[in-house]
Amino acid sequence: MALTFDPFREIDRVTARLLTGDGTSRAARWMPMDLFKVEDRYVVNVDLPGVDPGSIDLDIDGNTLTISAERTIGTTEGARWLAQERPAGRYTRQLSLGTDLDLDSIQASYENGVLSLTIPIAERAKPRKIAVEHTVQRQAIAPEESAQPTAGGAG
């Protein structure tokens, strides 16, 4: 026999209603992410479990990257829910990108519920060596005019 009344779940429901208004929304609000740098690129891994890959949308506007995805939970006709905790709805997250990134070369893939973005560092921003030229300045020494004795000398 299934327990249809859970007092702790009821407390959670009431608390959610007080904090969110109606308490019935199971909207997706959190999109956990890891960000790290490897050699000459940044890698962003975003957890999007159960998201249809076709719903993932990546937009760049200026230096802002917007990640959007939607997770839907199917409904079963005539089902009497005993627990319904998995969030559904639209996920959205914005990242501010620096000016030293190659935004035209971003690559994205989605595998096992994880969206992976590879963002290369622009060539102009990569560390590089600058050659130092050493020039020897040679000054030509102009010969001084030699003093020539004048005729008739002093006397």
Side-chain angles (χ1 to χ4, degrees), residues 35-82:
L35 170 65
F36 56 94
K37 183 180 178 187
V38 177
E39 297 172 6
D40 60 349
R41 66 191 179 279
Y42 288 95
V43 177
V44 179
N45 291 324
V46 182
D47 282 350
L48 295 172
V51 167
D52 174 20
S55 76
I56 298 173
D57 188 34
L58 301 173
D59 289 314
I60 294 180
D61 184 7
N63 285 348
T64 301
L65 171 67
T66 302
I67 304 168
S68 299
E70 188 165 355
R71 180 171 184 217
T72 56
I73 306 287
T75 58
T76 304
E77 193 69 31
R80 191 175 97 204
W81 289 95
L82 301 176

Side-chain angles (χ1 to χ4, degrees), residues 12-144:
D12 285 345
R13 187 185 63 76
V14 170
T15 303
R17 179 175 291 158
L18 291 173
L19 296 176
T20 62
D22 65 356
T24 60
S25 171
R26 292 183 307 135
R29 295 193 175 124
W30 186 240
M31 190 185 294
M33 142 188 120
D34 291 332
L35 170 65
F36 56 94
K37 183 180 178 187
V38 177
E39 297 172 6
D40 60 349
R41 66 191 179 279
Y42 288 95
V43 177
V44 179
N45 291 324
V46 182
D47 282 350
L48 295 172
V51 167
D52 174 20
S55 76
I56 298 173
D57 188 34
L58 301 173
D59 289 314
I60 294 180
D61 184 7
N63 285 348
T64 301
L65 171 67
T66 302
I67 304 168
S68 299
E70 188 165 355
R71 180 171 184 217
T72 56
I73 306 287
T75 58
T76 304
E77 193 69 31
R80 191 175 97 204
W81 289 95
L82 301 176
Q84 194 175 18
E85 299 175 348
R86 297 170 43 212
R90 191 110 185 118
Y91 293 85
T92 301
R93 184 147 188 186
Q94 291 187 323
L95 303 173
S96 293
L97 304 176
T99 57
D100 293 336
L101 301 175
D102 186 357
L103 302 183
D104 294 327
S105 300
I106 295 176
Q107 296 177 348
S109 64
Y110 180 71
E111 185 177 344
N112 297 326
V114 177
L115 173 66
S116 294
L117 304 173
T118 302
I119 308 170
I121 296 173
E123 286 297 321
R124 69 182 177 278
K126 290 181 183 176
R128 60 194 172 278
K129 293 280 187 186
I130 298 173
V132 177
E133 295 182 21
H134 180 70
T135 58
V136 177
Q137 294 183 0
R138 295 186 182 156
Q139 279 187 322
I141 300 175
E144 293 183 27

